[in-house]
Amino acid sequence: MLKVAEGWTIFLDRDGVINKRNFEGYIERIDQFSFLDGAEQAIVNFNKLFQYTFVVTNQQGVGKGIMTDRNLSELHGYMLEELKKCSANITKIYYSPDLKANPDNTRKPKPDMALKAQQEFGGVDFEKSVMVGDTDGDIAFGRNLGMTTVLIRSKEIVTEKADYEFDSLLEFSKNITKHA
């Protein structure tokens, strides 16, 4: 059971954590986006436990020209609207369009997206933050910043050791308590 207190932050990967991941390619359009079971309720639960709920996502499909920033913005707008219908809120979405091959990329596990969130929202303390993901890059991202890490198990082979492992975002959200 993870114990959090006032002022904690949660960072969520998108594909494979919030929505079904396309292991053969990218989620390019709204009709390809499908929430994982219980993800919306999990975010409602997180909103009661955490000061901020951020999404941090690598989106190299933009860098490859498979989709545009506008396509991605429309997709994220759809996700946020669907979440709003359930009274779930994402504070802000951060994404990296960079290619893995670019040595100056801002992709996870590099800290750029989290540092930007910290800069824009002064109350973000990484030692009071949780990173939830389904890949080695997600877990390394959280660990590199001193966050508590949570792995959502999938068919992805992960070698990084997370602090916690769960089968779904909803299951994880039911294993958090808030204390004074």
Side-chain angles (χ1 to χ4, degrees):
M1 184 76 63
L2 175 65
K3 293 181 181 179
V4 299
E6 204 65 38
W8 276 60
T9 299
I10 189 164
F11 290 85
L12 304 170
D13 178 46
R14 195 192 79 185
D15 299 333
V17 174
I18 295 173
N19 62 283
K20 291 180 183 169
R21 185 170 160 195
N22 178 355
F23 282 92
E24 283 76 48
Y26 302 97
I27 305 296
E28 302 169 41
R29 300 180 315 274
I30 291 169
D31 65 343
Q32 296 173 321
F33 185 92
S34 178
F35 283 101
L36 287 166
D37 289 342
E40 299 104 313
Q41 182 58 51
I43 294 170
V44 169
N45 296 346
F46 296 146
N47 292 160
K48 295 172 186 170
L49 296 163
F50 294 94
Q51 180 176 3
Y52 301 116
T53 303
F54 297 116
V55 170
V56 286
T57 179
N58 292 338
Q59 293 294 321
Q60 79 171 352
V62 174
K64 289 181 175 180
I66 293 170
M67 60 192 303
T68 65
D69 284 310
R70 183 176 177 185
N71 297 137
L72 187 60
S73 178
E74 289 171 358
L75 187 68
H76 286 161
Y78 169 77
M79 178 182 78
L80 294 172
E81 283 302 312
E82 291 300 304
L83 287 170
K84 193 181 290 183
K85 291 176 186 176
C86 307
S87 299
N89 178 57
I90 299 294
T91 308
K92 187 160 183 180
I93 299 170
Y94 295 93
Y95 74 94
S96 173
D98 297 339
L99 300 175
K100 275 186 216 176
N102 174 0
D104 296 325
N105 74 64
T106 59
R107 297 169 51 83
K108 293 174 288 176
K110 292 186 178 176
D112 300 65
M113 289 183 272
L115 293 173
K116 190 167 186 181
Q118 187 180 51
Q119 179 184 8
E120 292 179 1
F121 297 85
V124 176
D125 177 349
F126 297 134
E127 290 183 8
K128 295 179 182 176
S129 294
V130 178
M131 174 61 204
V132 183
D134 68 327
T135 68
D136 280 332
D138 296 328
I139 302 308
F141 172 83
R143 177 161 289 114
N144 291 344
L145 289 159
M147 297 181 195
T148 299
T149 56
V150 177
L151 176 70
I152 302 301
R153 292 184 280 258
S154 71
K155 69 179 187 177
E156 175 84 13
I157 296 170
V158 178
T159 58
E160 289 283 333
K161 182 71 178 130
D163 297 305
Y164 299 89
E165 291 188 19
F166 294 95
D167 290 325
S168 72
L169 200 59
L170 184 59
E171 180 188 359
F172 168 55
S173 76
K174 292 177 179 179
N175 281 278
I176 307 169
T177 60
K178 193 167 187 175
H179 60 89

